[in-house]
Amino acid sequence: MKKVRVSHILQKKRDQEKLLVLTAYDYYFGRLLDEAGVDMILVGDSLGNVFSGHETTLPVTVDQIIYHCQAVCRGAKRSLVVADMPFMSYQVNVDDAKRNAGRLVKEGGAAAVKIEAVSMDVSVFESVVQMGVPVMGHIGFTPQGVHQLGGYRVQGRSEEQVDQLCRLAESLAKAGCFSLVLEMVPSAVAQRISSLVDIPTIGIGAGQYCDGQILVTQDVLGMSFGDAPSFVRPYDQLTDRIRTALSGFQSDVKSLVFPSIDQQFS
Ligand code: KIV
C-alpha cells in the first residue's frame, strides 16, 4: 500500500492517466473509497448539503470540516485526503487563510486543502502554498459564490468569461496549486484549460477532457432525495434499497419474525 502524494497526482497528468476523486465525510466512506483505489478523497463543504441538510454550503465551519476530516483520515490510509476550506475561512485575509489551512492539516489530518477562487487575486493560494500546504484550486461554478453567481449555473458561456477562466487557471497554477477543480463549465472550455496548465484538472460537470473526475459519492450511489444534477451518472439507487431494507426490518419486528432464534441469547 503506497500512500498517494502530490507528486503522484502531478505524474498522472504527465502519464495521461485519469484521476479519480470522490467526497467522504466519515470513517465508513473514507475506508471504502480508499479500498476502492480512489486517488484523492475530498472532505468537501458539500457536507453542509449532504450530511447536514442545509440549502447551501455557506453555514459549514472549519471545526466541522476538521471533525469530518479526522473521521475520514481514520479510514483512508492510502488516498490523499483534501480538506475543503469553508466559507469565511479564507475570504477576509491571508492570515485567516493560513491559520485555517494549518488547522485542517494539523488537527484534521488532511494532506492538502481546496480553496474556491472568487476573483483574480490569488495571494491566498500563494501564501498557503508557501507555508507548505498543498492547495487544490476550484474554479468555474464555485458553490460558496452561489448568491453572487445567481444560482447553480454553468460558467464560461461567453468569450469574456472563458478568457477570464483561462487566465485564472494559469494564475492558480503559477501560484503553486497542484490541481484544479473545474465545476460546471462547457467541455470545450475544460479542454482548453486542461491543455493550458500543467497541473491536473478535475472536472465536475466539465466533460471528458479533464485530467480526472470528481463527484459527490452519495450522488454516484443514488443516496440522495430527488434528482441528482444532470452531470451525475448514478451507479446505484441506494436510497430505494435502504428504504426497502428498512421496511423489511419494520415488518419483521411487527410480525415477530425478528429476532429469531439466531439473533437471541439462550
Ligand atoms: O464540496 C464539495 O464536495 C466540492 C466538490 C463536489 C467539487 O466542492
Side-chain angles (χ1 to χ4, degrees):
M1 182 188 68
K2 203 163 149 209
K3 207 159 176 51
V4 179
R5 307 279 181 195
V6 164
S7 56
H8 300 130
I9 302 298
L10 293 166
Q11 187 58 42
K12 286 207 172 185
K13 171 144 184 161
R14 292 193 284 270
D15 294 344
Q16 295 183 6
E17 199 183 322
K18 293 283 185 195
L19 284 158
L20 229 76
V21 192
L22 284 166
T23 57
Y25 318 121
D26 58 24
Y27 168 77
Y28 177 80
F29 275 112
R31 183 166 163 176
L32 272 183
L33 300 185
D34 192 82
E35 289 173 1
V38 308
D39 298 295
M40 291 189 274
I41 298 176
L42 173 69
V43 184
D45 63 357
S46 53
L47 68 85
N49 311 98
V50 179
F51 180 85
S52 304
H54 291 298
E55 284 284 313
T56 69
T57 59
L58 301 177
V60 176
T61 66
V62 173
D63 284 339
Q64 287 168 350
I65 297 279
I66 289 173
Y67 174 78
H68 287 276
C69 202
Q70 288 169 342
V72 169
C73 287
R74 276 179 220 120
K77 301 293 174 212
R78 185 198 49 80
S79 308
L80 191 150
V81 175
V82 182
D84 224 348
M85 294 203 57
F87 184 58
M88 291 305 282
S89 68
Y90 60 92
Q91 282 90 346
V92 175
N93 61 52
V94 168
D95 286 347
D96 262 9
K98 287 166 74 176
R99 195 173 304 110
N100 288 320
R103 286 192 67 204
L104 294 174
V105 172
K106 191 181 173 103
E107 299 172 46
V113 298
K114 176 169 81 61
I115 306 177
E116 294 184 10
V118 286
S119 75
M120 292 301 290
D121 177 3
V122 297
S123 51
V124 158
F125 296 80
E126 230 158 37
S127 303
V128 175
V129 171
Q130 273 167 22
M131 69 182 255
V133 174
V135 177
M136 172 186 275
H138 183 159
I139 64 172
F141 176 72
T142 45
Q144 292 170 24
V146 62
H147 297 311
Q148 194 176 38
L149 296 171
Y152 293 82
R153 311 168 160 234
V154 176
Q155 304 295 305
R157 289 275 195 215
S158 68
E159 254 321 297
E160 192 191 338
Q161 270 191 350
V162 174
D163 208 54
Q164 204 173 7
L165 280 174
C166 290
R167 281 190 291 119
L168 183 54
E170 285 182 306
S171 303
L172 290 169
K174 207 160 153 230
C177 288
F178 76 97
S179 58
L180 210 49
V181 168
L182 305 182
E183 180 159 356
M184 287 175 74
V185 296
S187 84
V189 176
Q191 184 177 26
R192 191 161 144 192
I193 294 172
S194 302
S195 62
L196 209 57
V197 294
D198 54 13
I199 55 172
T201 56
I202 321 284
I204 171 161
Q208 60 184 303
Y209 299 109
C210 295
D211 302 305
Q213 296 292 328
I214 179 168
L215 284 173
V216 169
T217 299
Q218 280 78 359
D219 287 343
V220 173
L221 299 176
M223 280 181 86
S224 43
F225 301 108
D227 291 335
S230 62
F231 53 78
V232 170
R233 180 183 299 167
Y235 285 81
D236 209 320
Q237 289 301 338
L238 291 192
T239 298
D240 294 344
R241 295 223 262 157
I242 289 169
R243 283 192 169 125
T244 305
L246 292 175
S247 84
F249 174 65
Q250 193 178 25
S251 74
D252 281 2
V253 169
K254 286 187 175 172
S255 59
L256 310 185
V257 171
F258 176 85
S260 73
I261 197 87
D262 295 335
Q263 288 104 29
Q264 56 197 342
F265 301 107
S266 51

